[in-house]
């Protein structure tokens, strides 16, 4: 319904941006059934409740927008309240047949160790607001919380069942649509599954569903049908997620368990490929009609042809084990690409295995998470959605540019985000599982939508981890012969829903009529208005349908009496009674109008086949008691959430249309206490409406949330030298953060003082405020090897003499060195003590440190010939005597000489033993060495007469 006063046609109620123009748009679409005629209201009560002869269907007009925001979050339940952590892929199905999708998932307790992931409580919550529907808290029926689940109608009772892995990991456990225990398979050898999970399929097209778990296939009652020959397979240490697909188009589905493919009866479809086990996905990568298989795991990703031949294998670009493949035409080139999480990067591979792009992530816990893709704006450009340990990101599929990023937390197993229309509003939603067992942040289920509900239409179901767009019908039944999606290019995807594709049924619309409008007076004069609501359309109207009652024609200013709500879904051909107790009756007869799908403001929720037949009227006596002289005002409150301003405060009003029904006696005044502004958190506010004579009150809440990111400042880039080739410890100034709502602790990817390797290391510093808003900055630490030369010191130049013409051995003080990184040995061109030739010889000494840096110094050694004269020794004087008659006497004397280079020859002016005459005779003696150096000494020989001699 729209603001339908005088506007005939098909339309959807206001509340979305496109509802105002829906009538004209749907008329242009030529919606089938819009011109169907129905019996007049007077005859409607007697006609048989049946759908229109032709089903009316239409997809609402779509106005794209991309402003993701959190729609709601489930963080726990009074039922088994300690079980509030989620670390698996949720499923989206309608468990209670109310027309609104529900989210089913496993929860576990917070704590440490693997035991917390083993024992889980299975839960279901409503997709429109996250309210609890049920939880199986029976200890005997615990599910393995970290494993995946599958949902579908396995027993053809018209309701979905849920199957998963029991807490001990052995076999399969299944539950009814209301969460009650259905059955558990008998344990068998080698049937253990840790984090994997089951899938559903009708393998042989006989109308009976099989349950797949790795290489095992069970019947819909839990009986083991067959076991494949190649083991359970799956991810390393954590188990398989097998699924079914009709690879060859023979009407029988194959079971794909990583590298192993089996026929519907368990015999091998083709020999297992010579690659490791892992996760699998299927799509068409070539020109034939058969699908190819992508297998990732154990650090590599491979593409297999339909005959199991390996077409190519490459390492996982992001490092680590490799998560489950996500397939789609991400760059819009007409060929599929492969999206693949790794330990350090999310990567997209082209169809030939080459890297298209990769972006850094943090997935150190398991390295086995998954992703999905969706064209949010239905513009032909896919986005990729991936959540690692600490961030949820939406990437541009072609370039890897981050279009949206927000805080996230998970220890991670095999989980992946899910895209589905979970709240039945014709726009896609994003479902993410969270836990805070290892990283602070969130726990439970978080659902995101577009701020203006501008995301494309899509299916309202996602039933298993290995989800294919055609493996499940919209009503949760499992198709006997599902469409092979890769035969249509826009459905050539895996682990993704498709924009604009709504599944196996057309977009059926309800057609809502009202009749049997009446009033009943109850005890104590109370008056109740009632009307019968019928659905003549082919589509179901979900529970919560609003029915408004007016005094007078609402198109001409009639007064709203109140709004009734139908608490059950209204199926095609069904009827329900809407009742509105009036708090105070009006005297006299009045024309009363009832309008189906009207929230009291003239707008509605549902798109219908005929918006022109929603109302009925009747003249009704409204007087059960005397009409009061004054009708009190009506106080209407709302709970409102607003964002904090720069001062971490906000103001808001809880008034939600408070009014005075009779506009007297005085003008209506509305006050709220407290008036604000308010700080962070939820604040109770009381609204008082007064008309001067009477007053009314209601309460609402103002919730102030902090949506402002901290401002983070990083230090300048830091260059440093290292003496070690392994790097060095680097200390840098602390990154700082400021936030409008208080402290925002900063953490960096590398702590100050930690060891950085040689090279440039990017450092990312992130701040998170108390509300979980995050921001980051970055800088680089560059560590280079030692480039500083040693300091070398040489001895002073030396000059020595040589007795030999060929030179001399010369010793000198050793050269020394110092270096910033330790010892730097010194070597010289001529070693100390070696022989140097006569002349000047330059000596060079060099030092080299451990990094190969060198420095040198030099000095000279000069060798000269012998220039040192001998040292000669003469007597001081010599005395001799002669007798009378003698004229002289032979005199003996001794001289000596020493020389550095050997003997020296002595010659005297008077040789010893010569005749010396009376008197004093001077004698000069000269010593001469081999080099011609000489020295002399003098003395006198005195000969005197000795008269005593004869």
């Amino acid at each position: 319904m729209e603001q339908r006063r005088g506007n005939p046609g098909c339309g959807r109620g206001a509340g979305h941006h496109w509802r105002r123009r829906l009538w004209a748009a749907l008329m242009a679409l030529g919606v089938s059934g819009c011109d169907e005629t129905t019996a007049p209201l007077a005859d409607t009560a007697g006609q048989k409740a049946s759908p229109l002869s032709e089903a009316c269907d239409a997809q609402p007009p779509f106005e794209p927008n991309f402003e993701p925001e959190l729609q709601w979050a489930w963080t726990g339940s009074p039922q088994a309240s300690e079980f509030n952590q989620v670390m698996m892929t949720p499923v989206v199905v309608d468990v209670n047949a109310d027309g609104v999708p529900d989210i089913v998932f496993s929860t576990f307790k917070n704590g440490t160790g693997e035991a917390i992931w083993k024992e889980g409580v299975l839960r279901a919550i409503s997709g429109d607001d996250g309210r609890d529907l049920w939880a199986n808290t029976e200890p005997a029926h615990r599910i393995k919380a970290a494993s995946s689940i599958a949902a579908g109608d396995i027993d053809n009772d018209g309701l979905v069942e849920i199957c998963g892995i029991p807490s001990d990991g052995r076999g399969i456990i299944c539950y009814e649509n209301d969460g009650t225990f259905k059955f558990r398979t008998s344990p068998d050898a080698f049937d253990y599954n840790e984090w994997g999970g089951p899938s559903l399929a009708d393998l042989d097209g006989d109308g009976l569903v099989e349950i797949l778990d790795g290489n095992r296939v069970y019947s819909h009652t839990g009986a083991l049908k067959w076991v494949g020959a190649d083991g359970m397979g799956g991810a390393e240490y954590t188990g398989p997620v097998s699924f079914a697909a009709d690879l060859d188009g023979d009407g029988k589905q194959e079971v794909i368990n990583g590298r192993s493919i089996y026929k519907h009866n368990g015999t091998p479809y083709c020999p297992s490929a010579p690659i490791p086990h892992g996760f699998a996905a299927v799509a068409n990568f070539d020109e034939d009609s058969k699908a190819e298989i992508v297998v990732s795991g154990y650090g590599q990703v491979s593409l297999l042809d339909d005959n199991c031949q390996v077409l190519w294998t490459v390492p996982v670009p992001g490092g680590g084990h490799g998560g489950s493949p996500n397939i789609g035409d991400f760059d819009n080139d007409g060929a599929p690409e492969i999206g693949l999480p790794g330990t350090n990067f999310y990567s997209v591979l082209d169809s030939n295995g080459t890297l298209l792009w990769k972006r850094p992530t943090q997935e150190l816990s398991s390295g086995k998470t998954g992703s999905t893709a969706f064209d949010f704006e239905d513009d032909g450009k896919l986005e990729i959605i991936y959540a690692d340990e600490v961030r949820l990101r939406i990437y541009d599929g072609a370039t890897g540019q981050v279009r949206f990023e927000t805080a996230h937390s998970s220890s991670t197993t095999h989980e992946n985000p899910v895209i589905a229309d979970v709240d039945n509003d014709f726009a896609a939603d994003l479902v993410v599982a969270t836990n805070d067992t290892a990283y602070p942040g969130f726990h439970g289920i978080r659902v995101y939508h577009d701020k203006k509900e501008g995301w494309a239409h899509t299916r309202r179901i996602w039933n298993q981890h290995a989800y294919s767009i055609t493996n499940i019908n919209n009503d949760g039944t499992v198709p006997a012969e599902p469409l092979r999606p890769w035969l249509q290019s826009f459905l050539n995807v895996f682990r993704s829903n498709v924009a604009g594709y709504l599944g196996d049924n057309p977009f059926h619309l309800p057609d809502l009529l009202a009749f049997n409008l009446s009033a009943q007076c109850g005890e104590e004069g109370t008056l109740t208005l009632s009307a019968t609501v019928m659905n003549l359309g082919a589509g179901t109207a979900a529970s919560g349908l609003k029915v408004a009652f007016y005094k007078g024609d609402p198109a001409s200013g009639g007064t709203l009496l109140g709004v009734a709500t139908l608490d059950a879904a209204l199926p095609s051909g069904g009827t329900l009674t809407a009742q509105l107790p009036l708090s105070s009756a009006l005297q006299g007869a009045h024309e009363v109008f009832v309008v189906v799908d009207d929230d009291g403001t003239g707008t509605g929720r549902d798109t219908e086949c005929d918006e022109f037949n929603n109302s009925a009227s009747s003249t009704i006596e409204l007087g059960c008691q005397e009409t009061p002289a004054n009708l009190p005002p009506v106080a209407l409150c709302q709970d409102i959430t607003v964002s904090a301003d720069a001062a971490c405060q906000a103001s808001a009003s809880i008034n939600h249309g408070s009014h005075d029904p009779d506009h007297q006696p005085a003008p209506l005044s509305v006050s709220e206490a407290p008036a604000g502004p308010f700080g962070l958190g939820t604040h109770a506010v009381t609204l008082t409406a007064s008309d001067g004579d009477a007053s009314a009150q209601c309460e609402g809440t103002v919730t102030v949330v902090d949506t402002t990111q901290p401002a983070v400042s990083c230090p300048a880039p830091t260059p440093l030298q290292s003496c070690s080739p392994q790097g060095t410890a680097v200390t840098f100034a602390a990154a700082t953060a400021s936030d409008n709502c208080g402290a925002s602790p900063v953490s960096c990817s590398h702590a100050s003082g930690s060891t950085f390797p040689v090279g440039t290391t990017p450092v990312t510093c992130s701040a998170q405020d108390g509300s979980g808003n995050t921001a980051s900055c970055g800088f680089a630490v560059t560590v280079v090897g030692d480039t500083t030369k040693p300091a070398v010191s040489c001895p002073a130049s030396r000059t020595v003499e040589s007795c030999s013409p060929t030179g001399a051995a010369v010793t000198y003080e050793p050269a020394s060195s110092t270096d910033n990184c330790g010892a730097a040995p010194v070597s010289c061109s001529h070693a100390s003590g070696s022989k140097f030739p006569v002349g000047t010889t330059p000596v060079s000494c060099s030092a080299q440190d451990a990094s190969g840096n060198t420095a040198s110094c030099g000095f000279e050694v000069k060798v000269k010939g012998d220039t040192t004269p001998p040292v000669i020794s003469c007597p001081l004087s010599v005395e001799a005597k002669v007798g009378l008659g003698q004229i002289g006497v032979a005199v003996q004397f001794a001289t000596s000489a020493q020389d550095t280079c050997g003997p020296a020859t002595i010659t005297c002016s008077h040789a010893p033993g010569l005749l010396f005459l009376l008197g004093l005779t001077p004698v000069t003696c000269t010593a001469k060495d081999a080099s011609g150096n000489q020295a002399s000494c003098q003395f006198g020989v005195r000969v005197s007469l000795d008269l005593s001699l004869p």
Side-chain angles (χ1 to χ4, degrees):
M1 168 187 173
E2 211 188 35
Q3 296 186 3
R4 50 172 81 84
R5 319 294 177 236
N7 287 340
C10 294
R12 188 181 172 196
H16 293 277
H17 57 281
W18 43 264
R19 287 175 174 166
R20 298 186 299 275
R21 301 182 295 278
L22 186 53
W23 173 78
L26 291 182
M27 289 298 290
L29 289 174
V31 178
S32 63
C34 289
D35 295 328
E36 300 277 72
T37 59
T38 57
L41 288 179
D43 300 331
T44 305
Q47 73 181 43
K48 181 180 179 181
S50 61
L52 296 174
S53 59
E54 292 183 19
C56 176
D57 66 276
Q59 291 195 34
F62 172 60
E63 186 170 318
N65 192 60
F66 189 79
E67 295 181 78
E69 67 175 7
L70 182 68
Q71 183 173 11
W72 56 261
W74 181 92
T75 58
S77 168
Q79 295 179 284
S81 59
E82 68 274 24
F83 289 81
N84 59 10
Q85 307 285 326
V86 186
M87 194 160 55
M88 47 78 70
T89 300
V91 299
V92 178
V93 290
D94 185 359
V95 298
N96 53 5
D98 65 351
V100 177
D102 308 305
I103 303 173
V104 186
F105 54 98
S106 304
T107 56
F108 63 94
K109 299 178 183 178
N110 201 348
T112 58
E114 293 184 359
I116 61 173
W117 303 335
K118 296 182 181 299
E119 187 171 346
V121 168
L122 186 68
R123 299 180 183 275
I125 59 178
S126 179
D128 55 2
D129 58 8
R131 67 185 182 275
D132 291 319
L133 297 179
W134 51 257
N136 188 316
T137 60
E138 176 60 46
H141 303 149
R142 291 282 197 253
I143 195 169
K144 183 177 279 291
S147 63
S148 302
I149 59 177
D153 183 2
I154 66 173
D155 55 7
N156 295 325
D157 65 350
L159 299 169
V160 298
E161 286 77 35
I162 301 97
C163 295
I165 306 299
S167 59
D168 65 358
R170 306 292 303 278
I172 298 294
I173 186 171
C174 292
Y175 306 82
E176 298 286 1
N177 68 292
D178 60 1
T180 57
F181 174 74
K182 187 175 182 67
F183 66 78
R184 177 177 175 175
T185 63
S186 300
D188 192 33
F190 308 111
D191 63 352
Y192 185 79
N193 201 340
E194 179 70 10
W195 291 349
S199 298
L200 305 178
D202 183 353
L203 294 180
D204 49 10
D206 63 353
L208 300 177
V209 175
E210 282 79 32
I211 306 169
L212 286 55
D213 181 25
N215 66 331
R216 297 170 180 272
V217 171
Y218 299 88
S219 73
H220 69 281
T221 62
L224 182 63
K225 298 186 70 172
W226 55 261
V227 178
D230 195 21
M232 280 291 280
E236 185 176 18
Y237 304 126
T238 55
V241 183
S242 58
F243 60 93
D246 185 1
L247 296 177
D248 53 9
D250 66 350
K252 308 292 185 182
Q253 296 190 75
E254 285 70 49
V255 174
I256 294 95
N257 187 32
R259 71 185 184 191
S260 308
I261 304 176
Y262 304 96
K263 294 181 180 180
H264 69 280
N265 58 6
T267 60
Y269 173 80
C270 52
S272 295
I275 60 172
H277 285 292
F279 299 103
V282 296
N284 193 5
F285 285 80
D286 54 26
E287 300 300 323
D288 64 17
S289 63
K290 297 181 180 180
E292 284 69 49
I293 305 96
V294 178
V295 181
S296 68
Y298 292 79
Q300 66 183 48
V301 55
S302 303
L303 181 65
L304 309 183
D305 206 349
D306 59 272
N307 61 1
C308 297
Q309 294 298 307
V310 179
L311 299 177
W312 51 257
T313 297
V314 297
V316 172
H321 180 276
S324 53
N326 162 31
I327 300 178
D329 185 3
F330 302 138
D331 59 2
N332 205 23
D333 66 349
E337 285 78 40
I338 302 163
L340 193 66
T343 297
N344 300 307
F345 292 91
Y346 186 92
S347 309
V348 169
L349 299 176
D350 219 335
S351 56
N352 61 1
T354 59
L355 180 66
L356 187 62
W357 57 260
K358 68 177 182 178
R359 294 294 179 266
T361 58
Q362 178 180 317
E363 223 292 67
L364 306 176
S365 302
S366 70
K368 301 171 184 176
T369 46
S371 60
T372 189
F374 191 71
D375 184 357
F376 286 99
E377 294 153 287
D378 201 9
D379 57 0
K381 300 176 181 178
L382 282 173
E383 284 79 30
I384 295 175
I385 307 96
Y386 174 60
D388 62 16
E389 293 171 342
V390 294
R391 305 297 290 174
L392 167 65
R393 297 181 179 92
I394 299 178
Y395 300 98
D396 181 281
T399 66
Q401 177 185 356
V402 177
R403 297 198 65 193
F404 172 72
E405 180 176 5
T406 190
H408 175 73
S409 60
S410 178
S411 293
T412 75
T413 54
H414 291 179
E415 75 267 25
N416 59 266
V418 167
I419 293 288
D421 179 6
V422 303
D423 53 4
N424 202 26
D425 67 349
F426 307 100
D429 304 288
L430 166 59
V431 183
V432 184
T434 63
N435 59 86
D436 50 18
T437 59
Y439 298 95
F442 315 104
H443 58 261
I445 295 293
R446 295 172 70 81
V447 173
Y448 296 83
H449 71 157
D450 179 70
K451 185 176 183 179
K452 298 179 181 178
E453 295 295 357
W455 287 350
H457 320 314
T458 195
R459 300 187 74 194
R460 301 171 184 178
I461 194 166
W462 180 296
N463 78 310
Q464 60 192 30
H465 186 284
Y467 173 75
S468 169
I469 191 71
T470 59
N471 74 273
I472 191 75
N473 294 326
N474 286 349
D475 60 1
T477 57
V478 179
E481 292 189 27
L483 171 73
R484 293 189 289 161
W486 56 83
L487 297 181
Q488 302 187 44
S489 60
F490 77 103
L491 297 181
N492 192 22
V493 300
F494 199 85
R495 287 191 174 90
S496 295
N497 264 321
V498 173
Y501 180 74
L502 302 176
D504 49 292
N505 293 324
F507 201 94
H508 291 320
L509 299 178
D511 189 20
L512 305 171
L513 295 84
F515 56 95
N516 287 344
L517 176 59
S518 61
Q520 299 85 32
C521 289
E523 296 179 0
E524 302 177 357
T526 60
L527 180 69
T528 299
L529 297 177
S530 64
T532 301
V533 179
M534 175 181 287
N535 180 10
L536 291 182
T540 296
S543 64
L545 183 69
K546 304 295 185 183
V547 181
F549 294 81
Y550 295 86
K551 180 171 73 70
D553 187 351
S556 303
T559 301
L560 177 69
L561 297 176
V563 179
T565 301
L566 301 182
D567 58 4
L570 185 56
S572 174
T575 60
L576 290 172
T577 300
Q579 292 186 324
L580 177 69
L582 296 180
S583 58
S584 58
L586 303 174
Q587 292 296 327
H590 299 270
E591 186 177 17
V592 176
F593 281 73
V594 58
V595 185
V596 183
D597 194 22
D598 185 347
D599 63 1
T601 66
T603 58
R605 181 194 69 183
D606 289 3
T607 303
E608 299 178 49
C609 290
D610 186 356
E611 298 284 7
F612 206 37
N613 60 356
N614 292 71
S615 63
S617 66
S618 178
T619 300
I620 295 177
E621 174 60 51
L622 299 180
C624 289
Q625 60 184 15
E626 183 178 354
T627 303
N630 175 49
L631 292 177
V634 177
L636 296 175
C637 290
Q638 65 178 338
D639 296 335
I640 188 168
T641 300
V642 292
S643 297
D645 58 18
C648 202
Q649 294 183 321
S651 298
S653 173
I654 63 168
N655 191 355
H656 196 48
S658 301
H659 59 278
D660 185 6
D662 57 1
H663 306 287
Q664 59 92 25
L668 178 69
S669 65
V670 177
S671 62
E672 299 180 26
F678 302 95
L680 292 180
T682 299
H683 308 270
V685 178
T686 300
L687 180 147
T688 302
S690 175
D691 64 2
D693 179 57
S695 63
Q697 288 187 331
C698 61
E699 289 190 354
T701 60
V702 175
T703 300
V704 180
V705 296
D706 176 20
T707 59
T708 303
Q709 293 180 332
V712 190
S713 177
C714 278
T718 303
L720 201 68
Q721 288 189 11
S722 171
C723 294
S724 168
Q726 283 74 42
T728 187
V730 178
T731 301
F732 48 81
T736 59
S738 60
D739 187 74
N740 62 323
C741 289
S744 296
V746 180
S747 60
C748 295
S749 56
H750 299 74
S752 178
S754 58
T755 298
F756 286 74
V758 173
T760 298
T761 301
V763 179
T764 300
C765 295
S766 300
Q768 184 178 59
D769 62 21
S771 300
N773 301 305
T774 61
S776 60
C777 61
F779 63 99
V781 173
T782 301
V783 177
V784 297
D786 176 27
T787 60
T788 301
K789 295 180 179 180
V792 190
S793 177
C794 279
S797 295
R798 289 205 62 192
T799 299
V800 297
E801 292 184 356
S802 173
C803 297
S804 168
T806 60
V810 180
T811 60
Y812 51 83
E813 292 295 324
S816 61
S817 69
T818 60
D819 187 76
N820 62 321
C821 290
V826 180
S827 61
C828 295
S829 58
H830 298 74
S832 177
S834 60
K835 188 173 182 179
F836 287 75
V838 173
T840 300
T841 301
V843 179
S844 175
C845 294
S846 299
Q848 183 178 55
D849 63 18
S851 298
N853 302 305
T854 61
S856 61
C857 62
F859 63 98
E860 293 180 344
V861 173
K862 186 175 183 181
V863 178
K864 302 186 298 183
D866 180 26
T867 60
T868 302
V871 178
I872 188 170
S873 176
C874 290
L876 293 175
S877 65
V878 177
E879 298 288 339
K881 299 289 186 177
V882 297
L884 290 173
Q886 292 179 317
I887 60 173
V889 68
V891 180
Q892 297 289 336
F893 57 84
T895 60
S896 63
Q898 293 181 339
D899 189 78
T900 56
C901 290
T905 302
I906 300 175
T907 60
C908 295
S909 57
H910 299 74
L914 290 180
L915 181 67
F916 284 77
L917 299 178
L918 282 170
L920 179 62
T921 303
V923 179
T924 299
C925 291
T926 300
K928 185 177 182 180
D929 62 18
S931 298
N933 302 304
Q934 59 185 22
S936 300
C937 60
Q938 294 85 29
F939 62 94
V941 176
R942 185 183 294 277
V943 178
S944 61
L945 184 60
D946 187 356
L947 297 177
S948 64
L949 293 174

